[in-house]
């Protein structure tokens, strides 16, 4: 079965430091996509970064990078130079062509708190 | 470019009632997916609509139903509400249905069932 595991319920980081949020996934598919979303207390899911299973380079988007280790089935999010506004829930999600809907399968999330 | 919008923002209903939630997709997007997020959990896929047809469904009972309109906006209807239906309902739109098409979410509708 396809599954996303986020083992860190909560994380603290000092402002301006880097932080890594862990994500492991389980799938038998060869083709799949991995996403990270940020959810502030307002509730909206904000897309951060995407990594395709065949992408050879790790994805980067500004201060966000995805450390993709295919053999380990991990897709960790690295946030560099943390800001107070980064405090939020972060969800790792996977999509795969199991059916025509390409539904997102989410992990349980990690709550990140940035300390001033 | 207008993002995904949802209405209402909050809703309070009682058990047994029916509710309709609305979603307007982002400009140029023809696919809408609905998710339910219970407190403290990740979102769970309810169903997806592509060009006005249901295009996949998660593990939700038939009392969860939906529609997509020609302008690609969508509705989620829930009949015979139960206490466990209390959750944040998120709508996401995408350009298409392929695996690389990013789903962009709206702000959600928070439903409370008393």
């Amino acid at each position: 079965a396809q599954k996303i595991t986020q083992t860190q319920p909560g994380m603290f980081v000092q402002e301006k430091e880097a932080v890594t949020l862990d994500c492991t996934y389980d799938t038998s598919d060869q083709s799949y996509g991995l996403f990270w979303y940020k959810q502030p207390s307002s509730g909206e899911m904000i897309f951060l970064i995407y990594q395709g299973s065949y992408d050879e380079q790790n994805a980067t988007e500004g201060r966000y990078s995805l450390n993709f280790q295919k053999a380990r089935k991990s897709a960790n999010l690295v946030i560099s130079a943390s800001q107070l506004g980064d405090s939020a829930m972060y969800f790792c999600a996977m999509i795969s062509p199991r059916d025509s809907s390409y539904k997102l399968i989410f992990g349980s999330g990690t709550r990140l708190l940035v300390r001033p | 470019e207008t993002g995904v919008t949802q209405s209402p923002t909050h809703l309070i209903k009682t058990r047994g009632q029916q509710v309709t939630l609305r979603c307007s997709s982002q400009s140029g997007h023809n696919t809408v997916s609905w998710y339910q997020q219970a407190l403290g959990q990740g979102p769970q896929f309810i169903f997806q609509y592509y060009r006005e047809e249901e295009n996949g469904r998660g593990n939700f009972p038939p009392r969860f139903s939906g529609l997509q309109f020609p302008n690609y906006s969508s509705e989620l209807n829930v009949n015979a509400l139960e206490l466990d239906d209390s959750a944040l309902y998120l709508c996401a739109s995408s350009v298409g249905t392929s695996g690389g098409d990013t789903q962009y979410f709206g702000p959600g509708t928070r439903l409370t069932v008393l």
Side-chain angles (χ1 to χ4, degrees):
Chain A
Q2 297 169 305
K3 188 178 179 181
I4 293 283
T5 301
Q6 294 181 255
T7 57
Q8 305 155 314
M11 290 277 290
F12 287 98
V13 65
Q14 205 66 31
E15 192 179 7
K16 299 181 184 178
E17 292 186 349
V19 63
T20 298
L21 307 183
D22 294 342
C23 171
T24 58
Y25 59 92
D26 187 17
T27 182
S28 56
D29 295 320
Q30 296 301 309
S31 176
Y32 51 88
L34 296 157
F35 297 81
W36 277 92
Y37 285 88
K38 172 185 177 181
Q39 188 177 42
S41 56
S42 60
E44 182 175 356
M45 283 283 197
I46 302 168
F47 165 71
L48 296 178
I49 197 165
Y50 165 79
Q51 179 86 40
S53 59
Y54 293 118
D55 294 340
E56 294 184 355
Q57 301 285 336
N58 284 342
T60 60
E61 289 284 352
R63 294 186 299 112
Y64 305 108
S65 60
L66 199 152
N67 184 2
F68 181 46
Q69 299 188 39
K70 196 169 182 177
R72 289 186 163 186
K73 292 189 175 179
S74 74
N76 298 339
L77 176 71
V78 180
I79 305 174
S80 63
S82 297
Q83 302 172 355
L84 295 179
D86 293 337
S87 294
M89 283 292 290
Y90 288 82
F91 289 94
C92 179
M94 177 172 66
I95 207 163
S96 69
R98 279 299 178 95
D99 54 54
S100 59
S101 63
Y102 288 97
K103 63 189 179 190
L104 283 167
I105 297 166
F106 286 86
S108 56
T110 295
R111 181 172 298 281
L112 177 67
L113 289 177
V114 181
R115 291 170 165 157
Chain B
E1 183 177 278
T2 306
V4 180
T5 60
Q6 291 186 244
S7 62
T9 305
H10 296 87
L11 205 50
I12 298 174
K13 292 285 188 178
T14 56
R15 275 185 302 172
Q17 286 190 311
Q18 177 265 344
V19 69
T20 297
L21 310 182
R22 294 178 175 82
C23 171
S24 291
S25 60
Q26 188 167 316
S27 176
H29 290 188
N30 57 20
T31 304
V32 171
S33 304
W34 285 92
Y35 294 83
Q36 180 196 65
Q37 186 179 18
L39 199 61
Q41 298 181 21
Q44 299 288 319
F45 176 74
I46 304 174
F47 44 56
Q48 182 181 86
Y49 279 84
Y50 170 64
R51 294 188 175 179
E52 302 179 60
E53 297 285 333
E54 187 177 287
N55 185 48
R57 188 179 183 92
N59 190 24
F60 281 81
R63 58 190 187 83
F64 285 78
S65 63
L67 282 174
Q68 187 178 34
F69 300 99
N71 66 354
Y72 303 129
S73 65
S74 177
E75 284 183 356
L76 164 64
N77 298 291
V78 187
N79 293 322
L81 284 167
E82 300 177 0
L83 295 180
D84 285 349
D85 296 334
S86 294
L88 180 67
Y89 288 84
L90 294 162
C91 161
S93 74
S94 54
V95 167
T97 60
S98 74
D101 291 329
T102 299
Q103 295 184 25
Y104 294 91
F105 286 80
T109 293
R110 196 168 296 277
L111 172 65
T112 302
V113 182
L114 302 176

